[in-house]
Amino acid sequence: RSNYYHVGRKIFSRLVLQFGDIFFYHEVYNQIHLSTAVEAIQFGNSDTLQALLCYYVTSSESNSYAEDWFNLSYARVLWPNANMSSQRISEALAQIGLEENKRAFLSKYYDFVRSCELNEQKSDYGMREDGEIGDGILLDSTGLPNDAKLPLTSINNHNGLISLEVRLIYVVQQSTGLPLYYRCVPGNVIDTSTLKRTISELKSIHVNTKFALLDAGYYNGINADNLYDAGISFVTRVHGNHEIFVKSLQQYRDTLESKDNLVNHNGRFIYIQECDVLIGSKKNHKAYGYLCLDTTMQNEVRKQLSLKVTDENMSNEDAFIELQKKGTFMLVSTRCIVKNQILNLYYTRNQVEEIFKIGKKDDKMLPLCIESEATLRGHLLMTFIAATFLKILSDKLSNTSFTLSGAFSILKHQQAIIYDKELITSESVKKMNELYKLFKIKCPETIPYSPTADELKRL
């Protein structure tokens, strides 16, 4: 048998380990005290669970490469009894993803989230004095393309793009930006039909939801009724063809661009007209409407409209009507929000988009390539945990020159060499030292090492 480790045509020494990124992950993982929640997952081989989570966080490669990663990295020293073969990982994910394990994890995880909560004040939400105080949630969904024929995989048409996908719903806490809950539904299920069940599941697992921020895809009269019945206040955007938006535009567009309506939002001038609206399936619930005109967006689309007028021989009257719509959008709230704060409040929704971006770029939400629904559920739980870790790490890196992927890319070049009774780490360069210092981590020059019998076989 060869003394070297082969990955395709590449040859690697078994005595040199990829070290820095694995060591860094392990130190930060212990700092943030997420381990109690992870350990609540009932899986016989804890080394496999811990090594798999590390792989989900530090590597964006497919699970089929996990065994090579394990055999060539410091992970095999930290979790020597892990079994990272492709078949064993599929079996492990099927067990990890059981509903019992999901609930056991979430129960302990919510204790962790509570310890991260920020002090909530009315000013944080821009609410007037008659507004309520409560835990806010952000809710959105994203598609996970998957060519495997699973009950959860269906054809979805999103803005004209056809794909075979699973629809993943995430609930994120407004005050911290941390993910709270997730559900997956077939790709052809529309967002409006998922809201009531999502809220019901949150209540069943004792997640206090007093306030929700929703995208336009979740709003219709029935969902407004359901949220009222559940005692949940909400802010949502409404589609451009919705009756509330169309009527408000007709009534207020001519007077929208006035000095009293002008708001400076993050360097963009936006006109906002407050108005009373009636919502719900029977239009019997009073709410607050905010008709908005984003002048920056309007200017960006004027050129496109000009080309359209020329190509389609559009009349001046039709062009004027189109121009009046450009850059406008409508927000609806069941709470009375200060006009110059409504956009700050609504755009905290971007934290959900950030989680999806982290999950798809730095985590392993994609590509799926999963052929078993049981394995898929385990994969989604692991990506949820990894996204939580990466979100916390991203927040800590937010005011630095480092990105998530950049940090791990830098650190993975630090190695550790195996000797009889110890590991000797290579020197950490400037950027590595900056990362270690940022997280108050001291990188050791040597690490005591006593290889297991399995490890001796590897060597």
Side-chain angles (χ1 to χ4, degrees):
R1 148 169 141 39
S2 171
N3 291 325
Y4 305 102
Y5 191 90
H6 295 260
V7 180
R9 295 183 177 182
K10 294 182 179 179
I11 300 175
F12 298 89
S13 170
R14 297 174 184 273
L15 299 176
V16 180
L17 302 177
Q18 181 180 315
F19 172 77
D21 56 338
I22 313 298
F23 171 74
F24 176 77
Y25 158 81
H26 189 243
E27 292 294 307
V28 176
Y29 175 79
N30 288 330
Q31 282 182 12
I32 63 177
H33 307 298
L34 194 56
S35 57
T36 302
V38 175
E39 290 165 2
I41 297 172
Q42 296 297 308
F43 183 70
N45 189 333
S46 61
D47 277 11
T48 297
L49 175 62
Q50 294 293 344
L52 190 58
L53 179 57
C54 177
Y55 184 64
Y56 266 70
V57 169
T58 62
S59 173
S60 59
E61 292 187 315
S62 164
N63 286 345
S64 60
Y65 297 101
E67 188 170 22
D68 293 333
W69 166 86
F70 178 76
N71 286 326
L72 293 170
S73 75
Y74 182 55
R76 83 179 199 223
V77 175
L78 291 173
W79 307 289
N81 297 315
N83 191 332
M84 299 293 283
S85 67
S86 182
Q87 182 179 349
R88 296 287 88 81
I89 287 178
S90 295
E91 293 171 357
L93 289 174
Q95 184 175 339
I96 289 167
L98 292 172
E99 182 66 22
E100 290 81 357
N101 277 327
K102 177 181 177 181
R103 293 194 197 181
F105 166 79
L106 289 174
S107 177
K108 295 295 183 182
Y109 173 69
Y110 293 144
D111 292 337
F112 166 78
V113 173
R114 289 185 191 100
S115 70
C116 298
E117 285 182 356
L118 306 178
N119 293 326
E120 295 178 351
Q121 305 293 332
K122 290 182 180 179
S123 58
D124 295 336
Y125 298 107
M127 288 185 288
R128 293 175 178 169
E129 283 305 307
D130 56 351
E132 301 174 21
I133 295 176
D135 295 333
I137 62 167
L138 320 172
L139 195 148
D140 207 347
S141 67
T142 189
L144 302 181
N146 186 30
D147 292 333
K149 294 182 179 180
L150 300 177
L152 282 170
T153 304
S154 300
I155 295 175
N156 177 268
N157 183 347
H158 185 70
N159 295 331
L161 297 176
I162 309 298
S163 63
L164 196 62
E165 66 181 36
V166 175
R167 201 76 193 157
L168 178 63
I169 302 167
Y170 257 47
V171 178
V172 170
Q173 188 181 43
Q174 184 187 16
S175 60
T176 62
L178 292 175
L180 285 179
Y181 194 66
Y182 69 94
R183 295 180 64 220
C184 58
V185 297
N188 59 355
V189 174
I190 59 175
D191 286 338
T192 51
S193 65
T194 65
L195 182 60
K196 185 175 182 180
R197 287 182 176 85
T198 301
I199 296 299
S200 295
E201 288 194 22
L202 289 172
K203 286 186 174 295
S204 295
I205 58 174
H206 310 295
V207 174
N208 187 17
T209 54
K210 295 181 180 179
F211 178 69
L213 283 166
L214 309 172
D215 193 23
Y218 286 93
Y219 179 78
N220 62 20
I222 294 175
N223 279 341
D225 293 339
N226 290 332
L227 289 165
Y228 267 100
D229 292 342
I232 300 173
S233 302
F234 62 91
V235 171
T236 183
R237 185 170 64 86
V238 296
H239 279 301
N241 58 358
H242 196 281
E243 181 183 5
I244 293 175
F245 174 74
V246 173
K247 286 186 175 180
S248 298
L249 190 65
Q250 290 173 346
Q251 184 175 357
Y252 297 106
R253 182 61 183 87
D254 290 343
T255 58
L256 180 57
E257 295 179 71
S258 70
K259 64 179 182 179
D260 292 335
N261 290 337
L262 188 61
V263 171
N264 187 337
H265 174 70
N266 294 335
R268 296 168 75 113
F269 287 114
I270 298 178
Y271 293 99
I272 303 176
Q273 172 67 56
E274 295 177 287
C275 50
D276 294 330
V277 295
L278 294 174
I279 62 176
S281 58
K282 298 180 180 179
K283 299 182 179 61
N284 58 342
H285 298 295
K286 180 183 176 182
Y288 305 89
Y290 301 85
L291 179 64
C292 306
L293 169 62
D294 185 337
T295 57
T296 303
M297 185 189 305
Q298 184 186 46
N299 291 333
E300 288 174 356
V301 298
R302 272 178 171 168
K303 186 176 181 179
Q304 299 173 15
L305 179 60
S306 177
L307 294 173
K308 184 179 179 181
V309 169
T310 303
D311 294 341
E312 300 180 9
N313 294 320
M314 187 181 292
S315 68
N316 286 341
E317 181 180 354
D318 291 338
F320 179 77
I321 293 172
E322 283 292 312
L323 189 60
Q324 291 290 86
K325 295 179 182 178
K326 299 301 181 184
T328 58
F329 59 97
M330 183 88 180
L331 302 177
V332 171
S333 172
T334 57
R335 295 176 175 179
C336 191
I337 310 294
V338 180
K339 183 164 61 177
N340 62 5
Q341 290 295 320
I342 182 66
L343 293 177
N344 289 334
L345 173 61
Y346 179 71
Y347 284 122
T348 57
R349 277 194 64 262
N350 291 340
Q351 293 184 104
V352 188
E353 295 298 329
E354 182 186 356
I355 292 294
F356 287 146
K357 182 179 178 181
I358 287 172
K360 291 182 176 182
K361 181 183 177 183
D362 300 295
D363 190 1
K364 248 189 286 292
M365 282 185 185
L366 292 176
L368 281 185
C369 302
I370 291 175
E371 299 182 358
S372 160
E373 189 170 319
T375 302
L376 172 63
R377 295 188 185 280
H379 172 76
L380 293 179
L381 178 54
M382 293 301 292
T383 56
F384 180 91
I385 302 170
T388 299
F389 179 94
L390 289 167
K391 165 61 178 171
I392 295 169
L393 188 59
S394 176
D395 287 347
K396 290 181 178 292
L397 294 173
S398 61
N399 294 321
T400 72
S401 60
F402 297 103
T403 63
L404 282 174
S405 56
F408 285 117
S409 179
I410 290 166
L411 289 163
K412 75 176 183 180
H413 292 290
Q414 185 180 21
Q415 298 176 332
I417 304 175
I418 298 176
Y419 288 92
D420 290 342
K421 295 182 180 180
E422 63 183 4
L423 305 179
I424 299 179
T425 62
S426 63
E427 288 78 6
S428 50
V429 297
K430 180 182 177 181
K431 289 189 175 181
M432 294 177 187
N433 287 329
E434 290 175 1
L435 282 164
Y436 286 139
K437 183 178 180 180
L438 182 64
F439 288 85
K440 300 179 181 179
I441 295 171
K442 180 174 175 56
C443 180
E445 296 176 354
T446 62
I447 300 173
Y449 178 59
S450 299
T452 63
D454 288 341
E455 180 70 359
L456 287 172
K457 290 178 183 179
R458 291 192 184 95
L459 301 176

